[in-house]
């Protein structure tokens, strides 16, 4: 996309301000900005503008199984779950895009040490929890690990260094969480820098679309996976 096309493209969408600093940019910065403009997902902005704040919606608590119900029906639930595992109908998604900032930790949150007598990362504990289940079923299911663009390489290296915490390497699949343009309540997209669109992760609820966009739907289809559980 060149400048003239971008100008028309943005004007049609009420986002002309994204080119306000174009004349101040270097050639490489202009190229980056035009590429980012071409890749903007305007459907997200459209959904924001379509929201009717005046429309009142009555919110009710969703029905849920109580802890007592789970305790009482545990054998039944375990039987159904193990049968699904044995029939290869289940996969898991690990939401690993968070940083350890609130823990005073400058790396991926999953790398944080929670051990008391030995080093035990959050990642290792989560994999241990998963292996408690796979040990019962005798089957390893696909594990999809969602990272972000900042900690992706760091997370993959950490898994490699720790031999995937005993989980089969060929059953672990990493993918980067999608991002969407950040905007104000009027739908105007922000600039992070004069040549860079402000982008934000699409939230925990965006893991499925991110997984599909990474091409892992082929694994779900090939293995006949019907349910995925996130942690």
């Amino acid at each position: 996309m060149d400048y003239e096309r971008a100008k028309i493209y943005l004007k049609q969408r009420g986002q002309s301000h994204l080119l306000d600093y174009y004349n101040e940019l270097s050639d490489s910065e202009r190229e980056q900005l035009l590429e980012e403009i071409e890749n903007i997902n305007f459907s997200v902005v459209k959904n924001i503008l379509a929201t009717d704040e005046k429309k009142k919606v009555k919110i009710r608590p969703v029905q849920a199984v109580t802890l007592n119900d789970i305790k009482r029906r545990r054998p039944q639930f375990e039987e159904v779950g193990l049968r699904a595992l044995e029939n290869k109908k289940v996969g898991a998604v690990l939401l690993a895009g968070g940083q350890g900032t609130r823990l005073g930790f400058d790396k991926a949150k999953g790398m944080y040490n929670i051990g008391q007598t030995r080093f035990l990362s959050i990642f290792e504990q989560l994999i241990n929890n998963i292996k408690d289940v796979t040990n019962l079923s005798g089957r390893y299911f696909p594990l999809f690990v969602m990272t972000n663009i900042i900690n992706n390489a760091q997370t993959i290296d950490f898994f490699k260094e720790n031999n995937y915490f005993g989980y089969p390497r060929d059953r672990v699949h990493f993918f980067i969480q999608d991002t969407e343009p950040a905007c104000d309540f009027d739908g105007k997209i922000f600039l992070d820098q004069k040549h860079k669109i402000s982008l934000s992760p699409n939230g925990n609820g965006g893991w499925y679309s991110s997984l599909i966009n990474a091409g892992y739907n082929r694994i779900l289809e090939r293995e006949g996976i019907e349910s995925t559980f996130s942690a």
Side-chain angles (χ1 to χ4, degrees):
M1 178 178 288
D2 59 26
Y3 173 76
E4 292 302 327
R5 286 180 58 200
K7 189 175 179 180
I8 297 172
Y9 182 72
L10 293 175
K11 184 177 181 180
Q12 293 170 341
R13 292 161 176 80
Q15 304 288 347
S16 297
H17 63 283
L18 296 179
L19 292 173
D20 283 353
Y21 304 101
Y22 189 81
N23 292 332
E24 302 176 22
L25 305 179
S26 66
D27 289 343
S28 61
E29 289 172 338
R30 290 178 178 180
E31 183 177 348
Q32 179 181 345
L33 177 60
L34 292 175
E35 181 178 352
E36 291 191 3
I37 289 172
E38 186 172 15
N39 292 325
I40 291 175
N41 180 6
F42 281 102
S43 65
V44 175
V45 180
K46 183 178 179 181
N47 289 338
I48 292 174
L49 295 176
T51 301
D52 185 356
E53 294 183 358
K54 297 179 180 179
K55 186 177 181 180
K56 301 297 182 182
V57 178
K58 191 171 183 179
I59 300 176
R60 298 183 179 88
V62 297
Q63 291 186 342
V65 179
T66 67
L67 292 176
N68 286 334
D69 288 334
I70 293 174
K71 183 177 181 180
R72 178 173 53 84
R73 301 174 60 188
R74 187 180 184 90
Q76 176 190 353
F77 291 150
E78 287 188 347
E79 180 184 354
V80 172
L82 288 174
R83 190 183 309 125
L85 286 168
E86 290 167 359
N87 292 330
K88 301 180 180 180
K89 299 297 184 182
V90 177
V93 180
L94 181 58
L95 306 181
Q99 294 295 109
T101 308
R102 284 178 290 181
L103 300 172
F105 188 60
D106 64 352
K107 297 180 181 179
K109 187 188 300 180
M111 297 169 62
Y112 186 74
N113 178 27
I114 58 173
Q116 293 185 333
T117 60
R118 70 175 182 87
F119 183 88
L120 176 67
S121 68
I122 295 175
F123 280 142
E124 181 176 356
Q125 183 57 56
L126 289 171
I127 300 300
N128 287 343
N129 294 344
I130 290 174
K131 289 193 295 184
D132 285 343
V133 177
T134 59
N135 288 340
L136 288 174
S137 67
R139 292 185 183 276
Y140 289 101
F141 47 77
L143 173 60
F144 303 96
V145 183
M146 184 175 76
T147 65
N148 64 41
I149 195 168
I150 296 174
N151 69 20
N152 181 64
Q154 183 182 80
T155 301
I156 293 174
D157 288 343
F158 190 70
F159 269 73
K160 288 180 179 177
E161 291 166 5
N162 290 277
N163 196 29
Y164 297 86
F165 309 102
Y167 209 80
R169 166 65 187 94
D170 62 345
R171 304 300 274 167
V172 182
H173 311 280
F174 298 92
F175 65 101
I176 297 175
Q177 182 174 14
D178 290 341
T179 56
E180 305 296 351
C183 61
D184 62 19
F185 289 108
D186 294 321
K188 298 296 184 182
I189 296 174
F190 295 121
L191 283 172
D192 187 49
Q193 300 178 44
K194 292 181 179 181
H195 67 287
K196 190 172 179 60
I197 304 297
S198 181
L199 299 172
S200 297
N202 64 356
N204 285 350
W207 70 261
Y208 184 72
S209 61
S210 299
L211 184 147
I212 298 302
N213 289 337
Y216 286 140
N217 55 307
R218 66 182 185 275
I219 295 178
L220 302 179
E221 295 167 358
R222 183 182 70 221
E223 302 205 14
I225 294 173
E226 298 177 353
S227 301
T228 52
F229 297 86
S230 60

